[in-house]
Amino acid sequence: MSRPSALAAAVLAFSGCWCICAADVGDFAPCLQFFYKSWPPKGLAGTPICQRYYNQYRFATLYSRPRRSPWFSAYVYSVPAGKRPTACWKFEPQLAYPGAEGSMIPFPPGPVDQNVVDSQAVELDYINSTYSRGHMNPSLHHQSHEDRAATFTLTNVVPQKAGSNDGPWEVLEWTINKTLEAYCLGEAYVVTGVIPYRIDERWLKDHRVAVPEYIWSAYCCPNYNNSLPEELKDAFPTYAAIGRNDRNSSEEIVPVSQTAKKQFRGYDVRQMPLETLEVYLKDRFNTVVSVFYEQCG
């Protein structure tokens, strides 16, 4: 049996490889618990993935097959503990083979099955590119080792400039972490997604993986501490932000701070009400996009 055929057989035959993990593709029904009021965002079309790891659902992703990257990932925040797991990048076999059991499988050290390459991003797409792997659902926002490790699948990342990923966007993720840990009294539902270019899409490796112009994030925490400091009065029950992923984009959506460090300049993040985010999403997607049920009201 040839190596690609052997890999295809392995994909169809078992779910573990080096870890016990699985994913369900095509329906959000098994993982509605990651959405406020069990209500996924409305207005965006794609392939639902319920991301399962160690026989538990960990988060949900709306995946774009043509773009080979997610439109968004949705998850429930938990206070992080322990060190960031070592990256073990995985792929989703059900995107390549609908009859597969559905396990996330770590990429093999050698050639990757062509059906996998055709259906989704692979590690070679990012190697020697000018983009990092930007998590939609970040490892930082989870407590257990399993929840954190489950975020390392290429169906959960987009091409993100290091100036954003290691700069203002990282600051945003830490800010959300500290804010929710300190003041959210119940569950906090988070959705993080992308905004494509209006024209002239950018791609990795000759139309392999679409590069977003902006990355956005929003959370919904309906039960929170009412004794908020003045600077956080507008941060509950919802909060939203948009970050630049192209330093040459216009400043219409996110202005550029000229005082930022050189390596981070042009990758600013703008905080805003959820309603403002949805206005920008409507404008770019040419349809009404609703992130949370009744805007987390």
Side-chain angles (χ1 to χ4, degrees):
M1 183 181 292
S2 68
R3 172 156 179 79
S5 298
L7 177 58
V11 166
L12 291 167
F14 58 90
S15 63
C17 196
W18 298 292
C19 62
I20 303 171
C21 39
D24 291 348
V25 173
D27 192 350
F28 278 139
C31 56
L32 291 175
Q33 65 268 32
F34 300 112
F35 303 102
Y36 176 60
K37 298 290 187 182
S38 300
W39 196 87
K42 300 299 186 287
L44 299 176
T47 299
I49 300 176
C50 287
Q51 308 274 14
R52 187 193 293 232
Y53 186 77
Y54 274 85
N55 206 34
Q56 288 187 31
Y57 292 115
R58 306 292 174 170
F59 64 102
T61 298
L62 185 68
Y63 193 75
S64 171
R65 290 176 182 266
R67 298 171 64 85
R68 295 188 182 91
S69 60
W71 283 122
F72 67 73
S73 285
Y75 57 96
V76 175
Y77 167 84
S78 57
V79 179
K83 295 182 178 180
R84 185 178 189 265
T86 301
C88 173
W89 291 104
K90 310 169 191 70
F91 65 93
E92 300 294 349
Q94 282 190 350
L95 291 175
Y97 294 95
E101 189 277 336
S103 305
M104 286 183 198
I105 297 178
F107 283 99
V112 178
D113 177 75
Q114 191 59 44
N115 279 30
V116 175
V117 174
D118 292 342
S119 64
Q120 58 201 282
V122 297
E123 290 194 287
L124 281 176
D125 291 322
Y126 286 88
I127 294 173
N128 295 326
S129 79
T130 61
Y131 291 87
S132 66
R133 306 174 197 195
H135 282 69
M136 297 289 90
N137 173 13
S139 167
L140 174 66
H141 288 178
H142 298 284
Q143 186 169 89
S144 76
H145 177 82
E146 291 78 14
D147 281 349
R148 303 187 78 175
T151 66
F152 290 90
T153 166
L154 288 188
T155 56
N156 179 50
V157 305
V158 299
Q160 185 176 11
K161 283 292 189 180
S164 167
N165 203 6
D166 299 334
W169 194 259
E170 182 180 38
V171 173
L172 174 71
E173 290 177 341
W174 276 103
T175 299
I176 291 174
N177 175 50
K178 292 178 180 178
T179 300
L180 294 179
E181 179 181 5
Y183 299 104
C184 188
L185 302 180
E187 290 187 324
Y189 301 87
V190 188
V191 183
T192 300
V194 301
I195 299 177
Y197 286 88
R198 192 183 299 275
I199 56 174
D200 297 328
E201 288 263 37
R202 276 61 160 180
W203 297 82
L204 293 187
K205 303 291 177 71
D206 191 25
H207 277 71
R208 279 287 305 160
V209 183
V211 176
E213 185 175 13
Y214 299 95
I215 300 173
W216 60 268
S217 188
Y219 67 66
C220 165
C221 172
N223 184 18
Y224 56 93
N225 189 330
N226 289 316
S227 301
L228 295 170
E230 191 62 34
E231 64 271 17
L232 292 178
K233 293 292 185 181
D234 295 328
F236 288 91
T238 63
Y239 170 99
I242 296 178
R244 300 169 60 94
N245 195 40
D246 185 338
R247 66 189 342 160
N248 297 315
S249 295
S250 74
E251 299 186 49
E252 177 185 358
I253 298 178
V254 183
V256 173
S257 170
Q258 297 303 322
T259 62
K261 292 183 178 180
K262 185 177 180 180
Q263 67 267 39
F264 303 137
R265 192 173 305 152
Y267 298 111
D268 303 70
V269 170
R270 175 187 166 193
Q271 303 173 18
M272 62 188 66
L274 176 65
E275 295 87 345
T276 304
L277 167 64
E278 291 181 341
V279 168
Y280 287 122
L281 295 178
K282 179 182 179 181
D283 176 68
R284 188 56 61 96
F285 287 100
N286 294 313
T287 189
V288 174
V289 178
S290 300
V291 179
F292 298 116
Y293 176 76
E294 293 187 349
Q295 295 189 319
C296 189

